[in-house]
Amino acid sequence: MSESDRPVVLIVEDEPDVAETYKLWLRNDYEVRMAHDGDEGLDLLDDSVDVVLLDRMMPGLSGDEVLERIRERDLGCRVSMVTAVEPDFDILEMGFDAYLSKPIRSEQLHETVENLLERSEYDTLLQEYYSLVEKQATLEASKSSAELEESDKYDELKEEIGELKSELSESLGGIGDDADFIATLRGLSNGEDE
């Protein structure tokens, strides 16, 4: 496979050692580009980039600002925040596709990139569903049950996930229960046809 046929991963990370580590982990499977701040990341971003691994806290343009600009450009890339910042309810307003909390392992980074590449093949509805489920899982892993119960935004998120699940179920042939729904989504992600 030539370099140009491989998926392109853009790493936007201000810590050179961390960026180099991610590059070493990914370079055998992907074309890897590196940027050491938000401005450089935006300069390297074009429609050939498939996945962006974006640090949230950087000098100059923050990862949040870079993410907003990526989405304004309406490029088809998937974005994972890769950060030491503890997630809070503000993530509900952000347009990322995955959220990795540092420190991360090589397998975790590979799995996230693979999942994001698979997701880029799904239709918009499925992408939105996975993005919301990712946000729900991130909040559930970092917030107490009491905090979640008190949050109107979290309730709205669960309601939106339920509505999307219903829409997806209908478009996939009226799947009745959660086990069938999950099995069907897994089948889609494995390239099986319904």
Side-chain angles (χ1 to χ4, degrees):
M1 183 180 271
S2 73
E3 185 76 11
S4 62
D5 292 338
R6 296 172 5 155
V8 177
V9 177
L10 172 60
I11 299 167
V12 185
E13 167 64 63
D14 65 316
E15 295 180 46
D17 291 347
V18 173
E20 279 296 329
T21 299
Y22 296 165
K23 182 178 181 177
L24 285 171
W25 289 347
L26 298 172
R27 70 179 182 191
N28 289 336
D29 299 312
Y30 309 103
E31 178 186 331
V32 179
R33 300 177 189 168
M34 290 194 321
H36 299 291
D37 62 44
D39 288 315
E40 185 182 2
L42 290 171
D43 289 344
L44 292 176
L45 186 67
D46 58 29
D47 60 5
S48 68
V49 174
D50 298 295
V51 173
V52 179
L53 301 174
L54 181 60
D55 186 17
R56 195 166 174 192
M57 298 298 290
M58 296 181 289
L61 281 179
S62 71
D64 294 6
E65 292 169 310
V66 172
L67 176 62
E68 196 172 302
R69 294 192 186 176
I70 290 171
R71 294 308 183 214
E72 286 170 1
R73 289 188 187 181
D74 199 27
L75 299 171
C77 63
R78 301 282 129 234
V79 179
S80 176
M81 303 305 279
V82 184
T83 179
V85 176
E86 186 70 24
D88 204 348
F89 290 105
D90 66 330
I91 67 169
L92 297 175
E93 307 301 322
M94 298 171 64
F96 63 79
D97 300 289
Y99 196 101
L100 293 174
S101 295
K102 292 178 181 176
I104 61 170
R105 300 175 321 280
S106 172
E107 305 81 36
Q108 188 180 17
L109 190 64
H110 272 278
E111 183 178 300
T112 297
V113 171
E114 277 303 309
N115 287 340
L116 292 177
L117 289 169
E118 285 178 11
R119 274 192 226 170
S120 67
E121 297 173 9
Y122 298 162
D123 68 13
T124 306
L125 194 62
L126 199 52
Q127 288 176 26
E128 185 178 351
Y129 175 79
Y130 273 122
S131 178
L132 293 177
V133 168
E134 178 77 26
K135 290 175 184 178
Q136 180 183 18
T138 300
L139 287 173
E140 288 174 353
S142 65
K143 297 291 180 189
S144 70
S145 297
E147 288 175 302
L148 294 172
E149 287 175 21
E150 293 174 9
S151 171
D152 291 339
K153 286 185 174 186
Y154 180 72
D155 288 340
E156 291 168 12
L157 173 68
K158 289 193 317 185
E159 192 173 303
E160 193 173 351
I161 289 171
E163 290 170 6
L164 278 174
K165 182 177 174 183
S166 293
E167 286 182 53
L168 283 165
S169 176
E170 287 174 26
S171 68
L172 296 171
I175 301 161
D177 64 22
D178 284 347
D180 286 344
F181 183 76
I182 291 167
T184 300
L185 291 183
R186 285 194 178 133
L188 290 174
S189 69
N190 291 330
E192 298 170 9
D193 291 327
E194 278 298 295

